[in-house]
Amino acid sequence: MNTRSDVRNGAVEQAYREHWARLLALLTAQLRDLDLAEESLQDAFAAAVSTWPPVPANPPAWLLTAARRRAVDRLRRTAVAARKLPLLVVEEQPAHDDRLRLIFTCCHPALSMEARVALTLRCVGGLTTRQIARMFLVGEATMAARITRAKKKISQAGIPYRVPAGPELRERLDGVLAVLYLIFTEGYAATEGDELIRDEPATEAIALARLLVSLLPDDSEVRALQALMMLHHARRHARVTSDGRLVTLAEQDRTLWRHDEIEEALGLLIPGPPGPYLLQAAIAAEHTSAARAEDTDWVAIAALYGMLEELTGSAVVRLNRAVAVAEAAGAAEGLALLEGLETELPHHHLLPATRAELLRRLGRAEEAVAEYGRALALVGTQQEREFLLSRRTETERRLCP
Amino acid sequence: MKYALLLYGNEKLWDQATPEQADQTRVAHERFIAMLNERGAFLGGDALARSREALTLRKKAGQVLRTDGPYVETVEHLGGFYLIEAADLDEAIGYAKACPEQIVEVRPVVEYEE
């Protein structure tokens, strides 16, 4: 049986999850002040915790009224009251794109990338400062300061609360997608720490992408980003063994993949101009649609990487393309593509790790051992370190039988 | 909101400009000011003399130290400024893009509550 406080907390939590971003967007639209809107909405949720149950018939309406009342109280105490109070009197219909405006505000290019990530998680995702700090492995005080600074900049620099129009939209939308993918990447391959995959950022990034798809349903790149993240995330249970060791794609137990999620992700892809996310999603889709590792269509994947490299000119893409080419056409051709990448990726452990792997396949064991050593000096996570160590030991054994 | 557009450039290049190039720059700025005026965005602005004409006062513990030249030694020097009125940062950036100078710093002006 549920106790009274269980019912209350459950209802408030549910309301928080479902309505936080929309209510914050609506209040920000009315108040033109993100900080004030957020504080007032927090007050409203605090009020809900102490007065529910009975849970009101329309929780978001209750919360909005409570938040508006708190905003009026706060404004009365300040000199800006005369300017902003009239905004609250107007009963605006909740506009469809309020949340979209909130996302574009949080991801404005005048803010640092760190600030954009933190603000998006806080304001659109509704995460607490403590949760965001934990996600990015920084102290809560550091993250609180980062968020406060960002909000201050929004009001003091006059960062608009608006979705840009015309050609500017595409450019700014790319920035929004980059923020979401950055959040995801932090969870998919943690850059430091003992855990290789952390679910929280990945789940949050997918939820944010889902929201963005619901707001911009016709954009093939937005849909492709959600699909791409879901395709990666669907493999999470197969990527690490129960004792925490990294499993390569080829060695993964494909029955552990979440095939329901893969199905949903593939359904999201629609034809469109070949943007970076559509191409990456197409590559991930090639991997997930192979029943066994040896069924993978490496020729198609190498071709997709070729298009992606042409589009982005990225050294990391070239590294991945080299791996695909090695599978499709042989290790020697892959190795050739790695030439000269050191200058662009001097601290990337995957470059020497890949070169080591290809040299090993070509029987050049001595050179491979040296490259494993270089990779080990650069690697950041424990799981990858162990993987590289075991590969090096295995290769050394071949040298001295 | 009010924004200051601070125009930076390499003084050597400015000094080396041919009279023809200097004239082109002047015309470009006149056009820019006309565009700002048309939209009610022009609040003021001027060119600044070369940094060799600048002097800096440093006040510390009641002492005033006077040095010749601008505050910091840099390759790019502040050569002029505009004060504009824009609805928000995006509009201000839009004006800055239209400004005929290579480096334009956009700085929001602090507006004090009355």
Side-chain angles (χ1 to χ4, degrees):
Chain A
M1 232 185 79
N2 283 335
T3 64
R4 198 180 145 84
S5 77
D6 283 342
V7 172
R8 177 182 66 205
N9 290 336
V12 176
E13 268 169 33
Q14 191 189 347
Y16 191 85
R17 270 199 313 277
E18 288 174 9
H19 305 300
W20 167 268
R22 195 172 57 83
L23 290 174
L24 181 62
L26 188 58
L27 280 165
T28 310
Q30 291 173 343
L31 293 164
R32 312 271 154 194
D33 185 332
L34 182 61
D35 221 4
L36 176 65
E38 201 194 347
E39 278 171 13
S40 308
L41 188 57
Q42 258 168 351
D43 288 346
F45 274 98
V49 169
S50 58
T51 52
W52 295 7
V55 178
N58 187 344
W62 187 99
L63 288 161
L64 186 61
T65 307
R68 279 210 185 109
R69 210 170 284 147
R70 294 308 297 246
V72 171
D73 286 347
R74 281 172 183 275
L75 281 172
R76 285 220 172 96
R77 280 182 257 131
T78 66
V80 290
R83 202 146 39 87
K84 280 186 174 160
L85 274 174
L87 292 170
L88 278 173
V89 181
V90 186
E91 275 290 328
E92 264 181 73
Q93 280 301 306
H96 162 75
D97 65 352
D98 275 343
R99 277 172 300 174
L100 203 53
R101 286 152 68 185
L102 191 58
I103 294 172
F104 274 94
T105 304
C106 292
C107 295
H108 196 279
L111 297 165
S112 74
M113 205 60 183
E114 283 178 342
R116 288 186 233 173
V117 165
L119 266 187
T120 305
L121 287 168
R122 177 81 199 98
C123 299
V124 187
L127 266 63
T128 63
T129 305
R130 180 195 296 270
Q131 284 173 314
I132 303 168
R134 207 177 49 205
M135 203 182 266
F136 287 91
L137 308 166
V138 301
E140 196 176 341
T142 307
M143 190 50 80
R146 199 178 284 172
I147 293 173
T148 305
R149 258 200 316 274
K151 283 197 285 200
K152 214 176 200 173
K153 180 153 187 180
I154 286 179
S155 63
Q156 292 189 344
I159 287 176
Y161 183 65
R162 152 160 52 76
V163 179
E168 214 192 328
L169 175 66
R170 186 68 253 171
E171 191 188 311
R172 290 279 308 278
L173 183 59
D174 287 344
V176 171
L177 298 180
V179 167
L180 299 193
Y181 200 41
L182 196 68
I183 295 169
F184 177 82
T185 315
E186 187 58 31
Y188 185 65
T191 43
E192 50 186 298
D194 294 333
E195 273 175 279
L196 190 66
I197 305 177
R198 293 179 307 138
D199 270 357
E200 276 177 343
T203 314
E204 191 55 42
I206 291 170
L208 287 168
R210 199 183 290 280
L211 171 66
L212 202 56
V213 168
S214 74
L215 298 168
L216 296 165
D218 301 325
D219 190 288
S220 59
E221 279 288 280
V222 174
R223 297 175 70 101
L225 176 63
Q226 192 197 334
L228 171 65
M229 296 193 293
M230 286 184 74
L231 288 169
H232 283 320
H233 198 53
R235 296 201 286 258
R236 61 195 172 280
H237 300 305
R239 290 188 66 220
V240 186
T241 59
S242 51
D243 56 344
R245 233 182 286 274
L246 179 76
V247 186
T248 61
L249 185 57
E251 289 159 354
Q252 285 172 18
D253 176 356
R254 295 183 181 221
T255 60
L256 293 176
W257 291 357
R258 287 290 303 267
H259 292 278
D260 54 331
E261 293 178 11
I262 292 171
E263 200 73 13
E264 189 192 340
L266 295 178
L268 281 163
L269 296 175
I270 53 169
Y277 297 107
L278 197 54
L279 288 170
Q280 289 180 81
I283 291 165
E286 285 292 344
H287 282 298
T288 43
S289 56
R292 297 169 306 161
E294 53 268 39
D295 299 333
T296 309
D297 186 348
W298 286 107
V299 175
I301 292 174
L304 286 164
Y305 270 123
M307 289 167 78
L308 193 58
E309 193 190 336
E310 211 161 291
L311 191 71
T312 61
S314 151
V316 177
V317 171
R318 191 184 182 92
L319 175 61
N320 284 293
R321 185 179 150 218
V323 174
V325 167
E327 295 292 340
E333 296 209 27
L335 201 57
L337 282 174
L338 293 178
E339 221 141 286
L341 279 185
E342 296 82 6
T343 45
E344 282 172 275
L345 302 171
H347 306 297
H348 204 310
H349 71 278
L350 285 177
L351 176 59
T354 306
R355 187 174 283 133
E357 176 65 25
L358 297 181
L359 286 166
R360 194 182 64 88
R361 285 192 209 176
L362 290 168
R364 293 156 66 177
E366 205 168 327
E367 293 163 83
V369 168
E371 290 295 327
Y372 279 125
R374 272 188 204 113
L376 278 162
L378 295 169
V379 72
T381 64
Q382 191 54 35
Q383 283 84 351
E384 285 174 292
R385 175 181 305 280
E386 279 167 24
F387 175 80
L388 289 168
L389 271 173
S390 75
R391 275 293 164 112
R392 184 169 68 171
T393 313
E394 192 189 307
T395 316
E396 276 169 339
R397 253 187 236 124
R398 275 206 238 169
L399 273 176
C400 335
Chain B
M1 285 184 68
K2 289 192 186 77
Y3 293 87
L5 304 186
L6 308 177
L7 318 181
Y8 289 84
N10 186 327
E11 291 191 340
K12 256 193 201 134
L13 292 183
W14 287 335
D15 289 336
Q16 283 164 4
T18 63
E20 213 172 51
Q21 285 166 330
D23 222 39
Q24 275 174 3
T25 307
R26 190 181 50 75
V27 171
H29 276 282
E30 277 166 8
R31 275 207 207 103
F32 180 61
I33 294 169
M35 184 272 281
L36 289 176
N37 264 323
E38 223 167 84
R39 298 172 192 219
F42 184 79
L43 298 177
D46 255 312
L48 297 176
R50 291 289 184 269
S51 63
R52 60 178 171 265
E53 309 296 332
L55 63 90
T56 304
L57 297 184
R58 251 172 253 263
K59 290 168 218 165
K60 211 172 179 183
Q63 294 266 356
V64 177
L65 179 69
R66 192 191 132 158
T67 50
D68 286 332
Y71 177 54
V72 271
E73 207 60 52
T74 49
V75 182
E76 269 91 26
H77 289 277
L78 182 60
F81 67 95
Y82 285 104
L83 189 64
I84 61 163
E85 175 72 38
D88 53 45
L89 185 63
D90 282 356
E91 198 176 303
I93 292 171
Y95 288 134
K97 279 182 185 162
C99 177
E101 284 304 330
Q102 289 302 305
I103 304 172
V104 181
E105 181 177 328
V106 180
R107 282 282 276 275
V109 175
V110 177
E111 287 173 73
Y112 294 99
E113 304 282 353
E114 59 290 349

